[in-house]
Amino acid sequence: ICSEQWSGISTLTSQNADGRGLTADQARTLANLCDANVEVAQLRTALRNMRSEHIEVMDRIQIRLGDDEKAKHDLTLLNDQLMALEDQQNDLQLRIEAREEFVTNREDAATVREALLDAREEDLVNKNVELFHVYLRDAWTYYSEGNAGDCLDRLVKAVNLSYLTPALLARVWANMGLVTLSGTTSIINDEQHTNMSCYKKALGYDPLSPVAWTNLGFSLIAGTDVEIDGIMYTKKNCHMKVLELNPLDSSAWYNTGNNVPTGETVKIDDVDYTKRQCYIKALELDPSVE
C-alpha cells in the first residue's frame, strides 16, 4: 500500500463504518509507513548497487595494487642490480687505477733503475777512460826510457779496459804497432802481432784514426807499401791520408814534406806542394813543429 492507494483506503474505511475497519488517521499512518518501506527498499537497492560498485572498484584497486607491488618489486630488484653493477664498476675502476699506479710506479722504478744504470755505466766509462790515459802516459814514460817491455805491458792493460770507444782502441793498437819493431812480434792477449797487424787492427776499429795512419807511415820502410782495405799505401800516402783527415795538422804537413822527393810535388786538395812548401805550411800552422 502506498500513498497512491490513499483514496482506496478512505473508501474502504467509509464502507466499514461499523467500527471494525480502519479510521482515516490509521489509514494515513499506514500509508506513510508504506511510503517509508518503499524508501527503505530503494535505499537497500541503492546500497546493494553501491556495494557492488565498491567491490568492483576494490577489485580494480586490488588488481592495480598487485600490479604496482610487482612493479615496485621489479623496480627494487632493478635498483639492487644497478647498485651491484655500480659497485662492480667502482671496484673495477679502483683496480684499474691501482694497476695504472702500479704500472706507473713500475715504469718510474724502471726509469730510475735505467738512470742509475746509465749513471753507473757513465761512471765506469769515465773511470776506464781516465785509467786508459794513465796507462798510456805510463807507457810513453817507459818508451822514452827505452823500456819496451813495460811500455807494451801498459798498452795491453789499456786495450783490455771496458767501455772504450773505437777511437781509443784504435789509438792504443796504433801505439802497440809503434812499439813492436819491424821484423819482430809482440804477444798481446796470448796472440802474436807484428807492427803491421797492430796497425791493421787499429784501422779496423777506426779507419779515420790519425794516430794509426801517422804511426803506420813512420813504421813503413822507404820504398815499401802496405795494403789497407784493398788499397796500397806508401809512407807518403799514409801521411797524406792524415792531411786528408785534418788539413790543419802541422805534424802531418811536416811528415809529408819529409817523404816528398826533391824536385817532385804532392797534390793536397787539388794544390801541388813541393817538399819546401810542405815545410812552410807546417811552420805556418805551428812554428815549433818538428
Side-chain angles (χ1 to χ4, degrees):
I1 301 173
C2 58
S3 58
E4 285 81 3
Q5 296 171 320
W6 171 250
S7 59
I9 295 175
S10 299
T11 302
L12 179 61
T13 303
S14 62
Q15 291 176 353
N16 295 322
D18 55 359
R20 292 179 293 177
L22 297 174
T23 65
D25 290 335
Q26 290 174 336
R28 191 177 297 110
T29 298
L30 179 60
N32 289 336
L33 289 173
C34 289
D35 289 339
N37 287 334
V38 170
E39 291 178 3
V40 169
Q42 292 176 347
L43 182 58
R44 286 179 177 175
T45 301
L47 288 174
R48 283 195 300 268
N49 293 335
M50 289 180 62
R51 182 174 179 83
S52 297
E53 293 177 0
H54 177 71
I55 291 173
E56 292 177 1
V57 171
M58 289 299 294
D59 289 341
R60 289 198 297 270
I61 291 175
Q62 190 65 33
I63 293 173
R64 179 64 180 275
L65 183 61
D67 292 340
D68 289 346
E69 287 295 331
K70 185 177 183 303
K72 184 178 180 181
H73 173 73
D74 293 342
L75 182 59
T76 302
L77 182 61
L78 184 60
N79 286 334
D80 291 342
Q81 293 175 349
L82 182 59
M83 291 178 64
L85 184 61
E86 290 177 351
D87 290 341
Q88 292 178 359
Q89 184 176 359
N90 292 334
D91 181 65
L92 180 61
Q93 183 64 31
L94 290 175
R95 284 191 291 173
I96 290 175
E97 292 175 358
R99 180 173 179 81
E100 289 177 349
E101 183 178 0
F102 172 78
V103 171
T104 300
N105 292 337
R106 188 174 182 180
E107 290 177 350
D108 291 342
T111 301
V112 172
R113 182 180 180 185
E114 184 176 353
L116 290 174
L117 290 175
D118 289 343
R120 181 182 178 186
E121 183 174 355
E122 183 179 359
D123 184 57
L124 289 173
V125 169
N126 292 334
K127 288 181 177 179
N128 276 272
V129 171
E130 181 180 353
L131 190 57
F132 171 86
H133 290 294
V134 171
Y135 285 147
L136 213 63
R137 184 174 62 248
D138 290 347
W140 281 113
T141 299
Y142 287 123
Y143 184 78
S144 62
E145 295 174 352
N147 189 345
D150 287 337
C151 173
L152 186 62
D153 177 70
R154 290 299 186 274
L155 292 175
V156 172
K157 288 181 181 297
V159 82
N160 286 329
L161 291 172
S162 301
Y163 304 106
L164 296 182
T165 63
L168 292 179
L169 289 170
R171 181 177 176 183
V172 70
W173 275 102
N175 287 328
M176 285 191 289
L178 187 63
V179 172
T180 303
L181 299 177
S182 179
T184 66
T185 60
S186 296
I187 304 299
I188 301 173
N189 293 333
D190 298 328
E191 293 182 357
Q192 289 189 345
H193 286 275
T194 64
N195 57 353
M196 290 297 114
S197 67
C198 288
Y199 293 133
K200 289 183 178 181
K201 189 87 170 176
L203 292 172
Y205 280 112
D206 183 9
L208 304 180
S209 172
V211 176
W213 284 107
T214 299
N215 289 359
L216 176 59
F218 279 130
S219 296
L220 281 173
I221 299 173
T224 64
D225 52 22
V226 61
E227 181 181 351
I228 304 294
D229 291 334
I231 300 176
M232 303 305 296
Y233 289 87
T234 63
K235 290 175 70 71
K236 180 180 69 176
N237 296 143
C238 290
H239 295 302
M240 289 176 62
K241 183 70 175 180
V242 179
L243 284 177
E244 179 184 326
L245 297 172
N246 182 14
L248 301 180
D249 189 330
S250 60
S251 294
W253 280 104
Y254 181 83
N255 294 330
T256 300
N258 282 340
N259 290 279
V260 175
T262 303
E264 295 184 11
T265 60
V266 62
K267 189 179 291 293
I268 307 294
D269 289 337
D270 295 329
V271 178
D272 290 328
Y273 290 88
T274 63
K275 176 189 286 288
R276 182 172 180 276
Q277 288 172 327
C278 287
Y279 289 146
I280 292 174
K281 188 71 174 179
L283 292 172
E284 288 176 352
L285 294 171
D286 183 7
S288 63
V289 68
E290 296 180 358

